[in-house]
Amino acid sequence: MIFDPAARQRAQRRADTQPVTFLDEAAQVEIEERLAEVNRAFQSPVVIGPRAAAWAARVLPGAETRPDLDALELEVGGHDLALHALALHAANDPVGQLIQMRRALRPDGLMLACLPAGRTLHELRTALAEAEAETRGGLSPRVAPMGEIRDLGALLQRAGFALPVADSVTLTVTYPDLRALFLDLRGMGETNILAARDRRIPPRRLFARAEALYRQAFGLPDGRLPATVELVFLTGWAPAATQPQPLRPGSAAMRLADALGTKEHDAGDPIDPGVRKGK
């Protein structure tokens, strides 16, 4: 287990008392644009995540909501749209959750997931690692591992989705100091919930040194600290017979060379110098 479920619940309870919503709002705008492109009226959507109710109110009024537990409480074939809202990055079994969502969808139902990934908080990860190596002579996990967009897209195929797509949007948020960044992370419920985290109280010099290294490597001319957030959006469809299907190899009605109006060469044939120069 990568993440501690009990720590995750505590982090979310604390976030409920002081919610920070700018990341939710940025992700919601992107999800709304993607839904507008689908041009379909969904009759039985479900939203999954720690702030599912707020997401449903903004993006899918009337949608059912579910917590982001390892075992999602979803009825098989009960929905035509499943939206996983900023929580899949903290799942111990993300493929399992994607499979559960696919099974919960009717044929040709849509799954959308949004999660921080890639280079998210790479500045903080670097500064903390260097500071801990200097002050404590070793490293402990403090920032959760982030999936790369190519790997996350592959998870859609492993989970059995059709027409999988993964894309990303990168945001940069700035803070006056490291404490302000930590307060925002706490307000989002994104504190350290790693199962292998160091349970000891860290010395103050660790974070003082981390901030100095952060400023040295990434600080902006105005003195603020940038924090990168890469939001990855996953889109997949429950398989259906009505969806576009790839053609059988060898079934093309004409050659590619004919379609392009060019001459076909066998492998190893010399290329005309004029062709090489674009003439």
Side-chain angles (χ1 to χ4, degrees):
M1 290 183 58
I2 299 175
F3 301 104
D4 180 345
R8 174 70 169 167
Q9 292 177 7
R10 289 194 299 270
Q12 289 302 331
R13 284 197 298 268
R14 287 195 299 265
D16 288 341
T17 64
Q18 49 177 355
V20 174
T21 61
F22 73 84
L23 194 60
D24 291 75
E25 292 169 355
Q28 287 164 2
V29 169
E30 293 289 334
I31 291 292
E32 287 173 332
E33 292 179 357
R34 285 161 172 75
L35 287 173
E37 292 175 356
V38 173
N39 193 26
R40 179 187 297 186
F42 294 98
Q43 304 301 320
S44 54
V46 61
V47 181
I48 301 155
R51 294 175 292 281
W55 270 72
R58 162 73 186 266
V59 180
L60 293 167
E64 296 182 25
T65 60
R66 298 288 187 274
D68 56 316
L69 304 175
D70 287 342
L72 302 176
E73 301 171 352
L74 298 174
E75 176 188 354
V76 175
H79 303 281
D80 55 4
L81 170 63
L83 170 59
H84 208 301
L86 290 179
L88 195 60
H89 64 292
N92 279 307
D93 183 12
V95 176
Q97 293 216 356
L98 289 170
I99 290 173
Q100 292 178 69
M101 285 191 286
R102 179 180 57 77
R103 290 175 175 170
L105 289 173
R106 299 163 190 161
D108 206 32
L110 174 63
M111 188 285 303
L112 287 170
C114 173
L115 66 154
R119 290 173 54 79
T120 296
L121 296 182
H122 73 92
E123 304 95 342
L124 179 61
R125 187 192 309 274
T126 300
L128 283 174
E130 292 183 11
E132 194 155 32
E134 285 185 17
T135 61
R136 306 184 77 177
L139 299 178
S140 62
R142 296 190 177 276
V143 180
M146 296 288 170
E148 296 298 328
I149 187 170
R150 176 180 296 182
D151 298 328
L152 293 169
L155 296 186
L156 293 173
Q157 294 179 311
R158 287 180 57 190
F161 283 102
L163 309 174
V165 175
D167 65 295
S168 67
V169 173
T170 300
L171 309 174
T172 301
V173 188
T174 65
Y175 293 92
D177 50 41
L178 205 56
R179 181 176 181 274
L181 170 56
F182 287 156
L183 287 175
D184 259 10
L185 290 175
R186 182 184 178 93
M188 297 177 194
E190 297 294 342
T191 49
N192 190 352
I193 61 168
L194 291 165
R197 68 191 183 280
D198 190 341
R199 310 300 175 95
R200 298 172 297 174
I201 298 176
R204 288 188 177 182
R205 68 180 185 278
L206 170 63
F207 296 116
R209 182 55 180 155
E211 180 162 341
L213 291 167
Y214 202 132
R215 291 189 181 281
Q216 179 181 333
F218 306 106
L220 300 175
D222 61 1
R224 295 180 69 85
L225 302 178
T228 299
V229 178
E230 183 178 351
L231 291 177
V232 170
F233 298 86
L234 304 178
T235 305
W237 296 83
T242 56
Q243 292 168 346
Q245 302 295 322
L247 294 175
R248 187 180 71 258
S251 63
M254 64 185 302
R255 298 182 307 163
L256 180 60
D258 294 336
L260 296 176
T262 187
K263 183 179 179 181
E264 184 176 7
H265 294 271
D266 292 332
D269 282 355
I271 300 177
D272 188 314
V275 173
R276 184 181 295 113
K277 294 178 182 178
K279 296 181 180 179

